[in-house]
Structure formats: C-alpha cells, structure tokens
Amino acid sequence: GNLTAFDLATFQSMATTPVEDGVSDFAVHPENGKVYAVGTYEGPQQGRIGLRMYISEWDPASQKVTRRLPISPSDLVSSIRCDPLNPRFVYSTEIRQGIIRKVDTLSGTEYMRVRFFSGKRLPYAATSSGSLGYITCYRSPSVHKLDLNTGKLAGTLELPGLSGSGECAYHDGKLYVGDYAHFKVINAADGAVGDAASRPHPPTP
C-alpha cells in the first residue's frame, strides 16, 4: 500500500510513501493538492482497533502522511471523492457496512452518513456532477443518485445486464460504469444505455 507522486513532464517517480491501510482509492484536493487515501482491513495489525479505518492525508509539500482521520464502523473503504460543492469535505463508501459518509477534512469529524439497506445494494464506487452524486453498487445493477445538499437519495438507475460495478465516472451527461467483464455508457438523466463493450475474460491457467 503506497502513494507515489510522478512528475508528468518526465513521468519520473518523485516520492513513494507507505500508507498503513493500503490504498484502494484516493482523492486529490483541487486547491491545496493534498491527497486523501482510503484502504481496506486486511488482517490484524499491531495496535489496530476492529472496525476502525482511516482517511490518510498526504501532504505534497512534505511528501508524508500528515494526518490520519478515523472513521468507524469501517473495514473496507472502496472509494473516496472530494465534494464538488466544497472540497473541504470528502465522501467515502464503506462497502461491508453499506455506508456513504461525508467527512470534514479540517476537523476530521464525520459530518453526515447515509446507510444502505443490507444485502446486495452495497455502495462501491462514486462520482459526481454538480450537487448530485452517483454511487454504483457491489453485486447490484443499480446506480443511486445522492443529493449532496441534503444527504438524501434522489433516485435510482437500473442497469440491465450489469451484475454490479466497481468503477464509475461522469462526463458530459453520461455515466461510465464497468465491472470485471463489461463497460457501459449510461445517460445519467434516464438510465438509457448509449454504448456498451465487453472485455474478454483472461484464459484459465
């Protein structure tokens, strides 16, 4: 579990910093360049408290992890995004606990939490446009819309043919979602499939 900074002019590695929980995803603050990384619980570690994970703040000036913001209950944080309305806050998805949480990066306190129903609709990845967040789910063909102003779910898009999605992005009115074998482009307004592609499975050894 490391964070590595690269010089894009030369594409040379500048610094590699170990992150205690590993790195399943990270978000870059658009104003100060600080990186907020999340990871997963991968067995016992000395001093670790059960169901307590952290958001690790990495400072590009010192090239070190400068703060660890505790979040609980949590053991598998799959994605993190800066709030597009105010990057002081970050959103993270906790897959096993079925939680989307909003954390104040200045104080380190949890500002808001949305809990999903138990079962297959577990929040896995997230993206956003304006005041709407889009959350894809583990083992569920759904994309949930989250009103970032109120913290309430604003609707759901059903994606036929997709068993679940661990990746998503938003651009120009469209959602780009993918799982292990499929990739789809979805109209964010009505859920209509605009394009689709399949990735072949690798050969069985």
Side-chain angles (χ1 to χ4, degrees), residues 81 126-130 132-134 145 157 167-177 186-189:
R81 296 289 181 271
T127 187
S128 63
S129 173
L132 274 181
Y134 297 91
K145 297 180 182 181
L157 302 174
E167 305 163 3
C168 68
Y170 177 94
H171 177 68
D172 196 23
K174 294 195 169 45
L175 290 169
Y176 298 81
V177 299
I186 309 297
N187 187 312

Side-chain angles (χ1 to χ4, degrees), residues 89 91 101-104 108-113 148-149:
F89 299 96
Y91 290 89
R101 70 182 88 234
K102 183 178 183 180
V103 175
D104 184 341
T109 58
E110 183 176 309
Y111 183 78
M112 184 173 66
R113 178 187 297 183
L148 302 183
N149 289 315

